[in-house]
Amino acid sequence: LMDLNISWNDLKVAGGEYLGDSIKKHVNLTELNAFGNNLLADGIKALSLALKNLKNLTSLNLGTNNFQAEGATSLSAALKNLPSLTNLNLYNNNLGSAGGQFLCDGLSKLYELKSLNVAANHLQADGCKTFVESFSVLKKLKSLDMGYNDLKATGGKYLGEALPQLVSLETLILTGNNLRAEGCKYVSAGIGTLISLINLNISTNDIAPTGAAFLNDAIKNLTCLETFDIRGNSLLAEGCKYLGNIRNLTFLTSLNIGANSIQADGGKYLSDSIREL
């Protein structure tokens, strides 16, 4: 057995224990998808004991299992034994700040990781502060989803300072983090160093016109950018005026600037920017 998809089966804790017992001898397993099973902390603990034996695992999807910080402790220990892992999805597990700290320890050996999803985990600023310490080893990471973690400005500062370490990053998703203008300032400073970035989603962060100006400084360096999502940011017409560097994104194929109340004046500024694309 090399690929096991047991997602959306409501296994719960007992099912997690059975699953762990059944896969621990399948040392050739490369992909495991247990998304949406409500395993909780005890179920993840049982599964983690088995994961330590799966040295060939390259893809692990444990999203929407609500294992919280307690489960993250067990999982972190298992992750250190998965040197081949390239894809890790931990979406929507209510890890909290403490879980973000435990996760950092687990990521410390994942040198081959290329895709990481920790969206919707309520990491907040404190969890982000420790979590981003793992970036120093994630030199091959190409995709990072940190959406909906309520980072706010302080978390944005920690993230912005750490982003330059992700030298291979191509996709960055930061939607719904309540960054506002101040947080956008810090994040934009980091984003501006990511010259390989192809996809950027910073939607629903209420960055306002001031944040748009900071973001404009960042995108002037993103010559490879193909998709840019800044919808729902209260940009107004003034914010569109500040986004003039969009005209220099010659590879851009998708721009989402919806729900920003840009009105007629903003439409004029935007049309001037996109005319040359």
Side-chain angles (χ1 to χ4, degrees):
L1 187 66
M2 298 182 67
D3 183 351
L4 176 60
N5 186 335
I6 195 168
S7 60
W8 293 114
N9 273 297
D10 198 26
L11 296 179
K12 296 183 178 177
V13 173
E17 294 171 345
Y18 296 139
L19 178 61
D21 186 60
S22 68
I23 66 171
K24 62 185 178 183
K25 294 183 179 179
H26 288 288
V27 294
N28 292 321
L29 198 68
T30 59
E31 297 186 24
L32 175 61
N33 185 348
F35 188 98
N37 276 295
N38 199 27
L39 297 177
L40 305 181
D42 286 341
I44 286 293
K45 181 177 180 180
L47 185 58
S48 294
L49 292 174
L51 288 175
K52 293 179 180 180
N53 300 319
L54 307 183
K55 307 293 185 182
N56 294 311
L57 201 66
T58 60
S59 181
L60 177 61
N61 189 340
L62 295 175
T64 312
N65 276 294
N66 196 28
F67 51 80
Q68 302 182 16
E70 183 182 355
T73 307
S74 303
L75 180 61
S76 178
L79 291 175
K80 293 179 182 179
N81 293 279
L82 302 177
S84 300
L85 203 64
T86 58
N87 300 290
L88 178 60
N89 186 345
L90 300 177
Y91 167 81
N92 188 31
N93 277 297
N94 198 24
L95 299 180
S97 298
Q101 295 167 12
F102 296 137
L103 184 57
C104 175
D105 186 48
L107 294 172
S108 64
K109 302 295 183 182
L110 300 185
Y111 302 109
E112 301 299 318
L113 200 64
K114 293 181 179 179
S115 178
L116 176 60
N117 186 341
V118 291
N121 272 297
H122 309 290
L123 295 181
Q124 301 183 318
D126 288 343
C128 181
K129 181 179 182 180
T130 308
F131 172 72
V132 298
E133 292 177 7
S134 65
F135 288 5
S136 62
V137 303
L138 302 180
K139 301 300 184 184
K140 295 185 179 182
L141 195 70
K142 292 183 178 297
S143 178
L144 174 63
D145 189 344
M146 288 187 66
Y148 299 106
N149 273 296
D150 197 26
L151 300 182
K152 297 183 179 175
T154 303
K157 182 176 186 295
Y158 298 136
L159 177 61
E161 291 171 348
L163 280 175
Q165 298 177 80
L166 302 180
V167 294
S168 299
L169 202 66
E170 296 179 354
T171 296
L172 178 61
I173 302 173
L174 298 176
T175 187
N177 272 299
N178 198 22
L179 295 174
R180 305 205 173 202
E182 184 181 359
C184 187
K185 175 183 178 180
Y186 298 126
V187 168
S188 294
I191 289 173
T193 69
L194 303 176
I195 58 174
S196 298
L197 206 63
I198 296 174
N199 308 293
L200 174 60
N201 184 339
I202 195 166
S203 62
T204 322
N205 275 292
D206 198 22
I207 66 173
T210 303
F214 295 131
L215 194 56
N216 191 55
D217 286 338
I219 63 175
K220 68 183 178 183
N221 301 319
L222 306 184
T223 56
C224 297
L225 203 66
E226 295 180 8
T227 71
F228 187 24
D229 190 343
I230 48 174
R231 61 194 152 84
N233 270 303
S234 306
L235 297 183
L236 309 179
E238 185 182 1
C240 278
K241 182 179 180 180
Y242 293 147
L243 286 170
N245 282 329
I246 287 177
R247 62 170 53 90
N248 300 318
L249 303 177
T250 54
F251 289 97
L252 197 69
T253 58
S254 175
L255 173 64
N256 189 341
I257 197 168
N260 274 297
S261 300
I262 67 173
Q263 300 185 335
D265 286 344
K268 181 182 182 301
Y269 296 133
L270 181 62
S271 65
D272 290 342
S273 296
I274 66 176
R275 184 176 288 117
E276 301 174 27
L277 295 179

